[in-house]
Amino acid sequence: MNDIVNIEEEIRPYKEKIEDIVLHNQEKVLDAFQNQNVADRHFHSETGYGYDDEGRDTLEGVYAEIFGAEDALVRPQLVSGTHAISTAFFGVLRPGDELLYVTGEPYDTLREVIEPAGDGADHGSLHDFGISYRALPLKEGAVDAERFREVITSRTKMVAIQRSKGYADRPSFTIEDIEGVVKEIKAVKPDAIVFVDNCYGEFVEKAEPLEAGADLIAGSLIKNPGGGIVRTGGYIAGRKELITACAHRLTAPGLGKEMGATLSVLQEMYQGIFIAPHVVGEALKGAVYTAKYLDSYGFRTKPFYDEYRTDLIQTVYFDNAEQMVDFCREIQKASPVNAFALPEPGPLPGYDSDVIMAAGTFIQGASLELTADGPLRPPYMAFVQGGLTAEHVKIAVRRAVDAVTS
Ligand SMILES: *Cc1c(COP(=O)(O)O)cnc(C)c1O
């Protein structure tokens, strides 16, 4: 058994930094609620077409203010982060335009939004609509701004940045990094629309990508901004004309933002964004603990416990597949829901090796709740993230390490 008191001492300064960020973001959210005059009547939705859904419109005002946007779409009809991002692409891009990712290849689930699937099937991807795509590979883990002049052309209407590494083996990009990249993009093409995939990033830092010069962001409400309680939904925020374009894509051309009943989810959406800064802080404290605790047992962790963070993802490297499977199984056993389930490695589309996934969450697929997963191939990386309470992460991680090292 390692010296737990010592671990607590060593991570204390980093927990205090997280608390400072939580305090800042909590005040930002509180101010937005007050400035938008949120009232309890806003928790009830219209029905049918959803015209004059005042609760929905006010919530979108709250999101816009929090994220430094002119306007926002916050909807249960956005079924996931991928759907929100896809809506942003199809809302803004037109045949003949090009989408350029400057942070390397994007998150797995966006593949088929952009191009035909591996088996050649095209379900109406950007490619199918004559919208081309390029990804600029990272250079030593950083955006290769020196090549912007070569790769940005007159057709490059949208330049995309993925803030979080997602499940890739590369660093995540901080708000400061994003600010630098946006400046370089705009210097080459001032009218380029800079889109940031903000998934996993919300409230991890004091500022958000729009404040760093981006034009449009999107994310999922079963990740950070849902505070762990929102059961479904996504958001898009940014410049007004872009949000209008996305709204006409989400509903139908000509209908736009005015339609879409929110039914029973409004109250949890308000409550979720209100508690989100705190819950994100809990997950981050859990991640710092995970990094330090595993390090003390000789496992490599990334980011390291003392590193600055811009997202929730904690990578832990195991020596072999067996260790990784045992660890993930123990995380499952320490879950509040489905603790009795035994995760088995299995195939997953987009991966060439089996993947193990531990998730005993209240909301299906929620990643602000504690989960652990990863592909079973060297370098045996498990992604451990989320946690509604830092204490739960601590208990689960201690048990899992015990099981792996005993
Ligand atoms: C989770 C995630 C997505 C996709 O979100 P889903 O809700 O799973 O569709 C996209 N990009 C990044 C970086 C993510 O972490």
Side-chain angles (χ1 to χ4, degrees), residues 80-83 85 107 109-110 162 164-166 197 199-200 220 222-223 313 367:
S80 67
T82 303
H83 186 207
I85 295 165
Y107 194 77
T109 56
L110 293 165
Q162 186 179 305
S164 169
K165 64 182 171 184
D197 173 352
C199 281
Y200 276 135
S220 162
I222 64 166
K223 292 184 180 173
I313 315 257
S367 34

Side-chain angles (χ1 to χ4, degrees), residues 91-390:
V92 172
L93 296 166
R94 294 293 178 270
D97 290 341
E98 182 158 276
L99 167 69
L100 171 70
Y101 256 87
V102 294
T103 47
E105 294 293 340
Y107 194 77
D108 248 39
T109 56
L110 293 165
R111 270 264 66 87
E112 287 185 49
V113 172
I114 294 169
E115 292 176 322
D119 62 3
D122 197 321
H123 304 290
S125 68
L126 293 177
H127 176 268
D128 214 3
F129 282 85
I131 298 161
S132 61
Y133 156 78
R134 286 185 78 173
L136 179 63
L138 296 176
K139 192 178 167 192
E140 286 155 17
V143 175
D144 191 356
E146 277 166 20
R147 288 194 56 204
F148 282 180
R149 279 190 192 284
E150 287 166 47
V151 294
I152 298 177
T153 69
S154 58
R155 292 177 50 209
T156 314
K157 184 160 178 191
M158 183 184 270
V159 178
I161 296 170
Q162 186 179 305
R163 177 175 174 182
S164 169
K165 64 182 171 184
Y167 298 147
D169 196 11
R170 57 116 161 140
S172 296
F173 296 107
T174 65
I175 297 298
E176 196 184 338
D177 296 333
I178 291 171
E179 189 163 23
V181 172
V182 173
K183 279 209 185 92
E184 306 250 21
I185 294 164
K186 301 266 176 176
V188 176
K189 195 168 191 289
D191 65 348
I193 294 162
V194 178
F195 170 81
V196 177
D197 173 352
N198 208 26
C199 281
Y200 276 135
E202 298 91 352
F203 301 122
V204 177
E205 297 190 65
K206 288 185 180 177
E208 297 290 341
L210 297 172
E211 298 165 84
D215 301 291
L216 196 63
I217 60 173
S220 162
L221 299 200
I222 64 166
K223 292 184 180 173
N224 307 18
I229 61 170
V230 176
R231 288 169 298 166
T232 190
Y235 77 94
I236 309 173
R239 278 182 15 220
K240 190 166 186 70
E241 78 207 63
L242 302 175
I243 295 301
T244 302
C246 294
H248 285 272
R249 168 71 196 196
L250 170 64
T251 56
L255 301 183
K257 250 190 130 210
E258 309 309 317
M259 293 181 81
T262 33
L263 303 180
S264 67
V265 291
L266 271 175
Q267 199 218 339
E268 72 202 43
M269 282 185 173
Y270 279 102
Q271 208 168 348
I273 190 91
F274 182 69
I275 64 170
H278 177 78
V279 182
V280 168
E282 292 297 294
L284 286 170
K285 286 179 185 177
V288 168
Y289 187 88
T290 304
K292 180 66 195 162
Y293 194 75
L294 275 121
D295 171 69
S296 75
Y297 280 88
F299 296 98
R300 190 157 76 90
T301 58
K302 207 162 84 182
F304 202 45
Y305 76 97
D306 61 356
E307 264 178 83
Y308 187 79
R309 286 165 193 262
T310 191
D311 66 15
L312 297 187
I313 315 257
Q314 179 63 52
T315 311
V316 177
Y317 295 84
F318 293 97
D319 299 335
N320 52 56
E322 193 194 340
Q323 253 183 2
M324 183 164 149
V325 169
D326 286 349
F327 182 89
C328 292
R329 283 183 170 165
E330 213 61 31
I331 294 288
Q332 181 81 36
K333 267 196 221 168
S335 299
V337 184
N338 296 335
F340 49 81
L342 188 68
E344 287 290 348
L348 200 72
Y351 288 92
D352 46 17
S353 52
D354 282 354
V355 174
I356 178 120
M357 305 185 109
T361 59
F362 291 91
I363 290 158
Q364 184 191 103
S367 34
L368 187 52
E369 299 181 52
L370 179 61
T371 55
D373 46 64
L376 287 176
R377 58 169 138 81
Y380 299 109
M381 293 187 288
F383 302 97
V384 185
Q385 65 261 316
L388 295 178
T389 74

Side-chain angles (χ1 to χ4, degrees), residues 53-94:
D53 197 320
E54 202 194 339
R56 176 197 68 206
D57 295 345
T58 302
L59 178 69
E60 291 180 339
V62 169
Y63 263 69
E65 187 169 337
I66 290 169
F67 288 103
E70 290 172 4
D71 202 356
L73 276 173
V74 185
R75 304 283 169 127
Q77 291 87 4
L78 288 168
V79 303
S80 67
T82 303
H83 186 207
I85 295 165
S86 170
T87 302
F89 291 166
F90 281 98
V92 172
L93 296 166
R94 294 293 178 270

